[in-house]
Each structure stands twice: as structure tokens, then as C-alpha cells.
Amino acid sequence: MNRDPCRSALGRDRHARVAPGGAPAATLFGKGSLEGIALWMLWLIACAALALSAPAAATDPSFLLTATARDFPTYFPTQLGNGYVATLSAPRGTEDNLSYMAAFMDYAEGDVSRPAAIPGWSGIDYSTGTSSSGHFWLNQVALDPAVFGDYRQVLDLHDGTLTTRYRYDDHGRATRIEVVSLVSQASPHLAATQLSITPEFDGEVELSFPLALWAPHQPRFDLARLTGEQMQEAVAANNLKLEPIPPATPDRAPLWYHGDTHVLDAHGDAKGLTLSLDGRAEQGLSMAEAVAVALPEGLAPSGARVYRSPWRLSLELKARVRKGHTYTFGKFVALSREGWGGDARADLALVRQARGNGFARLRADHVAAWHDLWRSDIRIEGDPESQRMVHSDLYYLLSNVTPGTAWPSGACGLTPGYAGHVFWDNDTWVFPALLLLHPERARSLVDFRSRTLPAAEARARERGLRGAMYPWESDPQHGTEQTPHPAYVLGEREIHVTADVAIAQWQYWLASGDKGWLRDHGWPVIHAVADFWASRATWVPERKRYEIPHVTSVDEDYNDVPNDTFTNVSARKALQLAARAAAVLGEKADPRWAEVADKLFVPFDARAGHHLDFDPSVPHDIDSWGGSSLPMLVLPSLDLPMEPGVRRRDYDYALAPITQSHRDPNSMGLAPLAIYAATLGDAAGANAWFQRNLHAGVMQPPFNVRTETPNNNTGYFITAAGGLLQTIEYGFTGLRLQPGGLVAAYPPVLPPTWHAFTLTHVALRGAYYDITVSRDRNGRVALTRRPAEDRP
């Protein structure tokens, strides 16, 4: 949206100065004349004054998500994040909230690794009177619409800010409150909260600016050692249940508790209005935080002190306020961890500088960085609801993935969901969704696999195999296996993840064309993965073919089957890609790669004319969560070639167990079905699955937080967010990354209610495009691409 009033008046071409009515400004004012120059200067001055005085244009409604007092009972927190740091939200806007940093993990003895909760930095507490007068602290008051009047909290996806406003009535002493919070996209070590209070009384108030020092989480379970039965007993013995608690506690919360950060050293300066600390995750990395508080201009506190307990480090202030006056406080925060930034002293310097620059400067830079990200967008015409959901999913992806690093994406982002571990979700679900729109973030995800290749090679050696065997659940810092012991068989058998890793590496090469990256990063991974599959496949002489026994299917209820189709197809593709990568780089391909790929068995029912989910010897008779894994064969990065008739029969065969299942719909499984229908040219079917992904109860109000299922409350499930975005980017467009570029592999489809949609600022091999799918005057759907209007 155009926020510049002069640019709006002068026209939309940002590369030419055009006056109202379309005439070039120089012509309108008299080209080259002194009078023309003078008039032009007056025009510029008027524009500058207008830009400074006019309020910012309203954000596109599809970027605004709003909570009201009606949402108090069902409030599902949102996230503020920049990929390096993220914090959850809370209704008041002033609470202490759990916060996490990228790949900052706790490694407690006997447990799997898990995200260490860093000291909470988001809180600012407020009391309308002194503690001796009996007034409550704001954050301790129950959420009641009668107390929190005119309540409204807005998540602005476009600006990356959370703004909360209400009239807080504390036993007749009322205060108008506004809170604005952000985690900076422009300066990733920084975050800030700005609190404005307008009291409706004269008197003394108290404010507290804390760092919440979380107590060590209890109970802790030896999930690296316990069997499944022992785990269940331990949960019950602690009076816990593996059940979701409305509105936002997931069913496995007793197992997905956060890890611990121990504060090693902490300091506060009441005169300088600062706090700082150094800490360390349990048997993990070091970290640091610092806070600097900015006071309203002209306000002199009547009291200031630093408070410290085992659970809190805070700056406590008292001040006299006047009725009807607005007082604005700023809380600036700097965060760092080992390998990313410095210690508490360095963070203290950062927050002092940020405080000196002011909240407006920090916010403006942050907003500009978010706006730059939104140049690459999916813009839908004709369906505001779908547009809002798409913007929500993009927002959560961008808030949880870093640019220009080798840090991966957890299935639930920077939260304790799935213990922060890295699955194939990183490579097959989130990575492709980012690749065309945000390649610098997508590269971080594949570079993680390159960085942790030694751990994967060691894992293969331990099992007597060649090459690299990537874990089912990887630690995001070290890449080591972290599958809980009760799910040990998944770690050993759901080995398609190793093929998924290589396929993603090749996809990045196809999109970037960066031969240097391929040689230094992609090729070592692809080579090692091919060696793994060549050693993992078994030659069966009587059938004259290679088979892969003892695997867990993508449909995980089948946890020990031979020849899982998705696994074998993925392994074959990984072997074939290794030979192609060798040819690109002039390397020698191992001939065994081609031999195994050519003779690897892919289960197929010749009589019925469709693929099977796994070996014909395995009955397909479980009412499973997945129903069928065949839709995964058309995931854009895999895209198994097949005859149109086979493709249709595969789809029809897969639908029966999926649609007849009594299990909760999994938002992860809906995207492949929409993409599959699109490859068949079935626009109505593709749209039906897409809409089900929006309306299956997996988008939790008020901030469109995506959960894994409607009922398990496993939130911030960016795996499924990536799947929904891929539905549009590849499914509806029909585009696939191939050696020839971004190729129209299938005819485009357009949901019946959509007029058109555009992928903006698509990156491909150093060039940028806008890609539009629309209907012509005859109703025919067509795809067009053109150089991006908004280039770097």
C-alpha cells in the first residue's frame, strides 16, 4: 500500500516523477525555466509538509488481526519474532512472556534437548497507587471487560507490531493504556515495548520494568531413556495428563516443557535505568540480556530502585502523575547468545544506544524492514479471507526463520512444540514455501544440513552404513539425534528424511544457479546421502531388484514395513540427483548410484493401475492419521513423473482411506491433496482442500495461529503454514523447479471465487519476477510472468 502522499499524488511509477494527471513534473512546471524550478521546489516543500503532518495510510485489512474483550476466554497467544528471537503475547500487552532464541538449547542429563526459555523481557507492570494504599498491580488483575474497558489488541502483520489499548479501572482510579511491542527485523538483537499511560486522576503511581528469571521447570522426565510405558507412568505419577487444555495448552505440554537458563551474573543501575545479566542454558551455550528504560520527557521519578530475587530482576519506579496527561515509557531490550552477539556488557551498550535513538527510530527501521519483506508476497484478488490467512502464514514463517545463517526451522518455530527439534518439515515443507519469495531465509534451512553433515555421517557409521544418515529429530544447534526414547523406532526407521534433505539441496541449486554454493555446500550433502541409500538398499536376488526393508511410512501408524513407496521414490530421486550434481560440477559419479536407482522397487498394483502405499505384503487396513501417503508423491520438490491415468487413479485410491478416517484432520496433510487436485486440473477440488485448510479448525483466533489439528493445540505449526503457501506457489500455478528454470509443468488453476492472484518479487537465479494467474475474457485461466515492478 502506498504510504507516501506525494508519491500517490505524483503517480505510481516510482522511477519517474509524474505530476497529477500523468504529465511529467518538469513539463507541467515549465521545463528548465526558473519559474518551473521554483514551482517544483514549492511542490517538494508542500509534499514534505504533507508527509510529516498526515497520518500514515491505513494498513490493508488483510494484514490486521484484532482481539477484543470477547476473546479473553479463548485467547490464543500470537508471536513477535525475527527468526533470531521470539516472544509470545498476552492480552494486557504488559505481561512477562516466555521467549526463545534460535537454536539455544538445554541439554539436561537423560533428557532430549529442548529450547531453553530465556529471561522474560516483555513485561512492564503498573499500579495506580503505592503498594501501601492497597492497589493491585495491573498484571495481577483478572481479565474482566468491566476492568479492561474499550479493549482492543491489534497484530499488524505488515508492520510486525502488536498494539494493545484499553481503559484500566482500578477501583475508581482509571488509566488509559496503550502498549506497542516489537522484535526488530532491522536490528535483530533488539526488541522493545513502549507503554503510554493517561491517568484520569492525580497521584503517585508505580511501575516495574522486569526481567523474569524463570524457575527451573519441574517435573523433568528422562525422555532419552524412558520407554513409552514408563513415560506414561511418569506423567501420571506427577498428576499430569497428555490432553489439551483450552484454549492454548497442547496435549503434549507435559513433555514439551521449556528448558532452563541459569543466571550467572546480574546487575542493575537505578540511576542509569538499566539492567543486565549473563546466563547459560543447562549444559548448553551462554547468553546475555540487557534492558534500558526511557522515561517521559520532564518526568522525575520520586523513587527508583533495583529489585532482585531468585525469580525477578527489575527496575522499580515511583512517580507523581497528573490527570489527563500522557506519559510514555520505553523498555529497550538487547539479547545475544554464544555465536551470535556478545555478553551483557555488549548488550548494555546496544540498549543504551537504542534508547538514545528513541523508540520512534527503532520502530521506523523495524517497520521499513518488514515492508521490504512484504515486497515478496502472495496477493489474492476476490477472496479477502484467504488473503488474510495467507498473510498470517507468511508472517509466522518470517518470524521464525533467519536470513543468512545456518539455523533451521523447528516444526513449531521458536517455541517448545516438538521440543524445538528439526524434522523433514524443515526441508520439504517450510523450505520450498520460502525459496521463491525469500531465498535468503530458505538458504539458512539447507545450510543447516551442510553445517551438521559431520553429525549425520557419524550416525551412519554407528549403524554400519556409508554416507550420511540424518536424524528424524535433529538438535537445531548440533544436528544430533534427539528423538525421545519412546519414539525410538521413528528415529531409526523414518529414514525418508535423509532423501528429503538431498532433494532440498538440489532445489536450492535449481533456484539460485549458484555453482559455488553447490560445490561447497550442496554437493557434499547430496554425495553423502546417495552413498547412504546405496548402502541402505538391499539386493534381493530372487526378485532381481533392490528393496528398502524395515522403514516407518510417512503414514506413521505403519511403523515397520518394507518398501514404503514415498521412501523408495524419494531415495531413488536422491540417487539420481547425485549423478546430475556430479555432472554439473565435473565430478565422478559412483556407478552404484545409478544401479540402485534403476533397480529400486516402487510398489505398484499393475492390475488396478495405481501405486500402493507400501509393499503388497502389508495390509492397508488401519484407520490411521494420514490415511494414505500417496498424495505426498506430488509434493512440488519430489513430483514423481507418471502418466495422467496413473495420476488420477492414485488420487482416487488415496481418497478413500483419507476421507473415511475417523481421526482429526491434520493440517499438514491437507496441502498435498490440494496440490494433487491442481495437477489434475481440478480447480474445484483443489479449492475445496485449500478451503478445508482454512476452515478445519486449525487457525486459532484471534491471531490465526495455526495448530497441527483442531484439537491438540500444537500451535505455531509452521510446517502446515509452509504447506498451504506451497499450494498456491506451486499447486495453483503449476510451476516446478527444473534444470530449465521455473517451468510450467502443469496448467494453472484458479479457485472459482478468486479473480486472480500474483506472486510478487519472485527470485530466480538473480532475476525477479511477478507471476500472475488470472482469467481472460473467455474465462480461460492463464499464467503470465513479467519482470518485478519493485526490484532490489
Side-chain angles (χ1 to χ4, degrees):
M1 179 170 288
N2 197 339
R3 291 173 180 262
D4 184 338
C6 286
R7 182 179 295 168
S8 178
L10 293 175
R12 294 191 176 186
D13 184 350
R14 65 196 308 266
H15 300 296
R17 292 174 175 171
V18 180
T27 301
L28 181 68
F29 290 122
K31 183 178 181 180
S33 68
L34 291 176
E35 181 183 8
I37 294 171
L39 287 169
W40 176 242
M41 293 300 294
L42 288 172
W43 176 261
L44 288 178
I45 292 169
C47 284
L50 181 61
L52 290 172
S53 61
T59 299
D60 178 340
S62 68
F63 287 105
L64 299 177
L65 304 177
T66 301
T68 67
R70 291 190 300 272
D71 295 297
F72 286 168
T74 58
Y75 184 93
F76 204 113
T78 186
Q79 267 185 315
L80 295 173
N82 58 15
Y84 301 88
V85 177
T87 188
L88 299 181
S89 72
R92 299 170 186 81
T94 56
E95 294 93 334
D96 297 321
N97 296 307
L98 288 167
S99 182
Y100 304 93
M101 283 194 286
F104 184 69
M105 307 295 284
D106 164 313
Y107 301 99
E109 182 70 22
D111 200 358
V112 295
S113 70
R114 55 185 66 249
I118 61 176
W121 48 267
S122 60
I124 302 177
D125 217 346
Y126 167 70
S127 175
T128 62
T130 63
S131 55
S132 59
S133 65
H135 287 272
F136 292 102
W137 286 94
L138 170 66
N139 292 340
Q140 298 173 352
V141 176
L143 286 171
D144 182 342
V147 176
F148 294 84
D150 303 326
Y151 177 86
R152 189 176 181 85
Q153 186 175 67
V154 178
L155 175 64
D156 189 327
L157 306 171
H158 197 240
D159 290 1
T161 58
L162 184 70
T163 302
T164 313
R165 297 185 179 95
Y166 47 87
R167 181 179 182 270
Y168 170 54
D169 189 349
D170 181 12
H171 298 85
R173 277 197 164 194
T175 308
R176 291 280 177 181
I177 288 179
E178 178 181 276
V179 190
V180 182
S181 299
L182 61 89
V183 176
S184 178
Q185 278 285 358
S187 303
H189 287 280
L190 293 176
T193 297
Q194 180 175 271
L195 170 69
S196 296
I197 60 172
T198 307
E200 298 178 5
F201 58 88
D202 295 329
E204 189 171 58
V205 299
E206 290 185 291
L207 294 105
S208 177
F209 300 85
L211 287 172
L213 313 179
W214 311 115
H217 194 280
Q218 297 295 333
R220 295 198 68 144
F221 302 115
D222 292 340
L223 291 186
R225 299 168 178 164
L226 297 177
T227 66
E229 184 176 348
Q230 290 170 336
M231 178 197 73
Q232 296 280 357
E233 292 172 351
V235 169
N238 283 277
N239 199 30
L240 299 171
K241 294 182 179 180
L242 299 181
E243 296 177 359
I245 301 173
T249 302
D251 53 0
R252 282 159 283 181
L255 305 177
W256 289 345
Y257 47 84
H258 59 77
D260 299 327
T261 297
H262 305 292
V263 175
L264 305 177
D265 193 21
H267 300 278
D269 180 353
K271 184 177 180 181
L273 302 177
T274 61
L275 305 169
S276 61
L277 62 81
D278 286 294
R280 182 174 295 278
E282 176 68 33
Q283 298 188 37
L285 303 178
S286 61
M287 58 78 62
E289 288 185 37
V291 169
V293 173
L295 299 180
E297 185 175 354
L299 181 72
S302 54
R305 69 185 181 104
V306 173
Y307 173 80
R308 172 72 191 273
S309 77
W311 307 283
R312 189 176 180 87
L313 173 67
S314 63
L315 182 68
E316 310 283 316
L317 301 178
K318 294 180 181 179
R320 294 203 63 80
V321 295
R322 294 173 57 194
K323 179 179 179 179
H325 285 248
T326 298
Y327 303 88
T328 299
F329 300 83
K331 182 180 182 183
F332 298 85
V333 184
L335 310 100
S336 61
R337 49 146 281 190
E338 190 174 332
W340 179 65
D343 57 10
R345 177 178 293 183
D347 284 350
L348 198 54
L350 279 178
V351 288
R352 284 171 172 160
Q353 182 180 23
R355 179 174 61 183
N357 292 334
F359 184 82
R361 167 76 176 275
L362 182 67
R363 179 177 181 173
D365 291 347
H366 162 76
V367 168
W370 265 107
H371 290 186
D372 188 59
L373 289 175
W374 285 114
R375 291 187 302 161
S376 298
D377 192 7
I378 300 173
R379 298 175 186 169
I380 300 170
E381 298 177 31
D383 190 340
E385 182 180 22
S386 292
Q387 180 68 89
R388 187 176 298 108
M389 297 297 187
V390 165
H391 280 157
S392 301
D393 280 334
L394 262 173
Y395 168 82
Y396 286 111
L397 256 64
L398 294 172
S399 297
N400 284 281
V401 178
T402 53
T405 71
W407 283 330
S409 163
C412 296
L414 294 176
T415 76
Y418 281 106
H421 296 160
V422 184
F423 298 76
W424 69 308
D425 310 39
N426 177 84
D427 309 88
T428 306
W429 297 86
V430 178
F431 165 77
L434 292 170
L435 180 55
L436 298 181
L437 299 178
H438 297 282
E440 71 286 350
R441 278 169 159 76
R443 175 173 172 173
S444 295
L445 306 189
V446 288
D447 281 354
F448 165 72
R449 300 301 192 179
S450 173
R451 177 170 66 82
T452 59
L453 176 59
E457 290 173 325
R459 192 163 179 266
R461 285 194 302 271
E462 291 167 2
R463 288 153 181 79
L465 298 167
R466 296 172 54 211
M469 181 181 180
Y470 281 90
W472 176 239
E473 294 191 38
S474 294
D475 176 76
Q477 177 64 21
H478 303 297
T480 52
E481 172 66 74
Q482 294 295 330
T483 305
H485 190 66
Y488 176 77
V489 293
L490 292 182
E492 292 302 301
R493 295 177 185 160
E494 195 158 353
I495 55 175
H496 65 78
V497 61
T498 297
D500 304 327
V501 166
I503 292 168
Q505 303 285 316
W506 183 251
Q507 289 281 297
Y508 184 78
W509 150 247
L510 292 177
S512 69
D514 186 341
K515 195 171 181 179
W517 175 89
L518 180 63
R519 179 174 297 280
D520 295 341
H521 297 277
W523 167 245
V525 172
I526 293 170
H527 184 292
V529 166
D531 284 345
F532 167 78
W533 287 114
S535 64
R536 180 62 169 80
T538 300
W539 175 251
V540 182
E542 61 271 25
R543 299 188 181 103
K544 296 183 180 179
R545 68 192 188 197
Y546 285 95
E547 299 185 3
I548 304 177
H550 300 297
V551 299
T552 294
S553 173
V554 175
D555 189 357
E556 292 172 353
D557 288 315
Y558 296 89
N559 63 15
D560 185 5
V561 299
N563 298 313
D564 174 67
T565 298
F566 179 81
T567 301
N568 286 21
V569 167
S570 300
R572 184 174 67 185
K573 182 160 187 172
L575 289 161
Q576 293 167 339
L577 295 181
R580 293 178 193 170
V584 169
L585 297 173
E587 299 285 348
K588 184 177 180 180
D590 186 334
R592 185 166 164 76
W593 299 342
E595 177 192 353
V596 175
D598 292 343
K599 297 178 182 179
L600 186 60
F601 176 55
V602 175
F604 190 83
D605 186 333
R607 178 177 297 179
H610 61 72
H611 289 93
L612 299 172
D613 286 79
F614 22 71
D615 196 275
S617 64
V618 180
H620 194 188
D621 57 2
I622 301 175
D623 183 8
S624 64
W625 203 5
S628 173
S629 59
L630 292 189
M632 304 290 181
L633 299 180
V634 302
L635 285 172
S637 54
L638 182 60
D639 196 31
L640 175 65
M642 62 182 92
E643 294 296 323
V646 173
R647 184 178 298 275
R648 165 56 70 177
R649 289 188 291 272
D650 274 8
Y651 181 71
D652 293 340
Y653 173 75
L655 280 186
I658 292 172
T659 56
Q660 295 170 15
S661 174
H662 294 87
R663 307 287 287 273
D664 288 339
N666 185 325
S667 58
M668 185 177 181
L670 295 172
L673 288 162
I675 295 169
Y676 208 134
T679 67
L680 298 171
D682 181 358
N687 181 58
W689 287 113
F690 179 86
Q691 292 298 323
R692 187 172 177 184
N693 213 340
L694 304 185
H695 299 290
V698 294
M699 300 294 277
Q700 306 306 322
F703 301 117
N704 287 351
V705 174
R706 184 175 287 280
T707 53
E708 187 177 27
T709 76
N711 300 313
N712 71 1
N713 282 345
T714 299
Y716 318 98
F717 192 50
I718 62 174
T719 298
L724 181 126
L725 297 173
Q726 286 192 59
T727 299
I728 303 174
E729 295 173 77
Y730 304 96
F732 292 172
T733 66
L735 297 172
R736 297 293 184 273
L737 281 164
Q738 297 179 3
L742 193 58
V743 174
Y746 305 94
V749 300
L750 192 62
T753 59
W754 295 13
H755 305 318
F757 71 87
T758 300
L759 312 182
T760 65
H761 209 249
V762 169
L764 185 70
R765 301 178 184 176
Y768 294 86
Y769 303 93
D770 291 339
I771 298 173
T772 298
V773 174
S774 60
R775 293 184 185 88
D776 64 20
R777 63 183 62 185
N778 298 316
R780 184 178 59 188
V781 176
L783 181 145
T784 58
R785 65 180 95 193
R786 60 189 180 277
E789 294 180 3
D790 190 9
R791 302 178 187 181

